Amino acid sequence: MNEQPQEKPPSSMKPTTVERGWADLHTHTTYSDGLLSPPEVVSQAKAANLRAIAITDHDEISGIDAALNAAKAFDVEIVSGVELSVTHKGIDVHVLGYFVDHHNPKLIAFVKDFQQERRLRLDRILAKLEVMGKPLSRESVLIKAGAGSVGRPHIADAMVDAGFVESYYDAFNQYLADGRPAYVPKKKLAAADAIKLLHDTGGLAAIAHPGLDVPDEIILEMVHAGIDAIETVHPRHGDARRQHYSSLAEAHGLLTTGGSDFHGGRKINERLGDFRVTYEVVEKMKNYLSKVRTTWV
Ligand code: AMP
Ligand code: ZN
Ligand code: FE
Ligand code: FE
């Protein structure tokens, strides 16, 4: 081999991607259906040796400031994110937003509207449960939800407390899951509107966990609608899916992302950082946004 003299000593070489650290870019807090507050999630991120995490609460951004404040003490980088409930041709798609401006009035107004819609949906689910002889008070659910967006996980928790079901999963399987008797669909955004909202607020849009029943045709339509990334790393994606979605991303010039979809221990055996990506993914996002952002806003 033709050895070239090194211009710099090895110690100043650029660290490898792994040496630059890890990021978990899909986490939920008490502001949606996670069990840990934003500071608690940040503290666990430090313990898990993560350099960065994205806070991606369902249809909610109010937890981001608390995470940013906590992050100062823990030296963990926070990516301001959100996970939007979207529908496209009758298929439910979750769309992750990254680097959104969480003080943007349009995004705040959107989130407030979603909160209200979720509360109306709660009332409809409670009415159905009451007819089935499982009356729950609104307060018993709202107390589970705390400050953030109320969802079926909070109803499931309240049902366990009331003794109506044995477990959180029983509550879904018997009553709350799609197709079960107390199911009520929630308000969802059209895909193009979600992508526009994220772009308008300075962020980029990623399809979350497509392996959970999002057909490839829908992904391709989202690509045409302007999606920027695909979540390839996720607890519900095996190796085959991860590779498939990585190839799809590459073929369409999209970024890839990933994380543990952490809910603070709500899901069995989950730990923050168990599913993670290299910090290079965060750098690529920043780089991408610095190039394309000006064309959106
Ligand atoms: P919601 O936003 O109110 O529709 O609630 C959605 C959340 O409920 C998801 O993010 C999951 O955490 C949880 N969930 C949905 N379906 C199920 C299910 N079949 N079993 C357990 N948890 C579920
Ligand atoms: Zn969730
Ligand atoms: Fe999701
Ligand atoms: Fe999620």
Side-chain angles (χ1 to χ4, degrees):
M1 226 178 94
N2 187 11
E3 292 254 332
Q4 296 290 323
Q6 284 185 328
E7 281 176 35
K8 288 177 186 164
S11 60
S12 67
M13 272 167 53
K14 206 175 168 191
T16 64
T17 54
V18 171
E19 281 166 349
R20 270 185 281 161
W22 296 98
D24 186 332
L25 300 178
H26 194 157
T27 75
H28 297 273
T29 75
T30 43
Y31 283 83
S32 62
D33 56 350
L35 295 179
L36 300 181
S37 68
E40 287 168 331
V41 174
V42 176
S43 148
Q44 291 214 356
K46 187 71 190 168
N49 199 25
L50 293 167
R51 178 166 172 189
I53 56 168
I55 302 288
T56 54
D57 278 313
H58 297 281
D59 307 314
E60 178 52 283
I61 44 168
S62 313
I64 292 169
D65 275 326
L68 285 169
N69 279 333
K72 288 178 201 151
F74 287 108
D75 190 28
V76 172
E77 181 177 339
I78 304 299
V79 175
S80 58
V82 65
E83 183 172 16
L84 298 176
S85 311
V86 168
T87 185
H88 187 68
K89 296 200 169 157
I91 306 275
D92 283 358
V93 187
H94 287 181
V95 174
L96 290 160
Y98 292 116
F99 292 101
V100 294
D101 170 9
H102 60 291
H103 293 303
N104 180 293
K106 190 175 163 187
L107 189 56
I108 292 170
F110 162 82
V111 160
K112 276 210 178 122
D113 183 47
F114 246 75
Q115 304 293 330
Q116 257 175 352
E117 292 283 344
R118 276 179 171 274
R119 278 163 205 253
L120 294 174
R121 174 196 189 216
L122 166 65
D123 291 338
R124 292 173 62 202
I125 294 177
L126 293 181
K128 285 191 166 196
L129 286 173
E130 187 159 358
V131 170
M132 285 180 275
K134 309 287 175 206
L136 277 180
S137 73
R138 202 166 187 257
E139 289 63 41
S140 70
V141 180
L142 290 178
I143 206 156
K144 297 283 180 194
S149 55
V150 62
R152 287 177 291 162
H154 308 115
I155 304 174
D157 286 343
M159 289 185 81
V160 174
D161 282 3
F164 292 152
V165 284
E166 292 266 307
S167 74
Y168 173 82
Y169 290 98
D170 285 347
F172 272 94
N173 294 336
Q174 294 171 29
Y175 298 99
L176 302 172
D178 191 351
R180 305 307 300 155
Y183 177 72
V184 175
K186 73 187 158 195
K187 177 183 162 142
K188 292 169 200 123
L189 271 172
D193 293 342
I195 294 168
K196 184 170 187 329
L197 177 70
L198 295 172
H199 287 177
D200 284 353
T201 54
L204 63 85
I207 302 180
H209 46 64
L212 298 184
D213 299 327
V214 181
D216 282 1
E217 309 94 84
I218 298 287
I219 299 182
L220 295 182
E221 290 184 17
M222 305 272 291
V223 172
H224 291 131
I227 204 93
D228 309 291
I230 301 183
E231 185 178 50
T232 57
V233 174
H234 185 273
R236 303 281 291 276
H237 287 176
D239 284 348
R241 280 198 169 127
R242 190 183 299 184
Q243 272 158 26
H244 172 69
Y245 295 125
S246 299
S247 312
L248 209 60
E250 200 178 337
H252 295 279
L254 303 178
L255 297 168
T256 57
T257 179
S260 60
D261 205 350
F262 183 63
H263 281 72
R266 184 187 285 287
K267 296 188 283 181
I268 297 160
N269 290 334
E270 67 165 347
R271 278 202 323 246
L272 185 62
D274 271 355
F275 293 82
R276 58 189 187 173
V277 293
T278 62
Y279 184 76
E280 197 182 19
V281 168
V282 178
E283 292 172 327
K284 280 187 179 166
M285 285 182 180
K286 287 179 183 171
N287 204 358
Y288 174 82
L289 282 170
S290 71
K291 288 185 190 135
V292 298
R293 214 175 227 164
T294 48
T295 65
W296 290 332
V297 188

